[in-house]
Amino acid sequence: MTALTTDPDPDLRALACRALGSTADDRALPALKRLAAHDLAKTTLGGLVATAAQQGLRTAHRIRARTASA
């Protein structure tokens, strides 16, 4: 799924960000951080890939916090 973060289609990159965030996998974090900082491409619905990456990072952090405290 991390391969989709470099796809030319911003919609696919944004979807990959959300999916990767829900995995909370450490291997996804560098790609999410990179996209959150640098990918200002707009999706078909007008959102930014960077925003989707930020959402993915927040989701990953929330999941990791819940599993750490459980």
Side-chain angles (χ1 to χ4, degrees), residues 1-69:
M1 193 174 329
T2 54
L4 290 175
T5 64
T6 60
D7 193 275
D9 184 342
D11 290 323
L12 287 178
R13 292 196 307 276
L15 289 170
C17 288
R18 291 186 183 99
L20 286 168
S22 69
T23 69
D25 190 326
D26 286 339
R27 297 171 292 181
L29 298 180
L32 290 173
K33 289 177 183 176
R34 176 180 49 80
L35 292 172
H38 302 291
D39 196 334
L40 300 178
K42 286 192 177 186
T43 66
T44 304
L45 297 175
L48 298 178
V49 174
T51 302
Q54 292 165 0
Q55 291 169 342
L57 284 168
R58 282 194 299 272
T59 299
H61 291 305
R62 279 195 300 264
I63 290 170
R64 296 178 77 187
R66 278 188 225 147
T67 57
S69 64

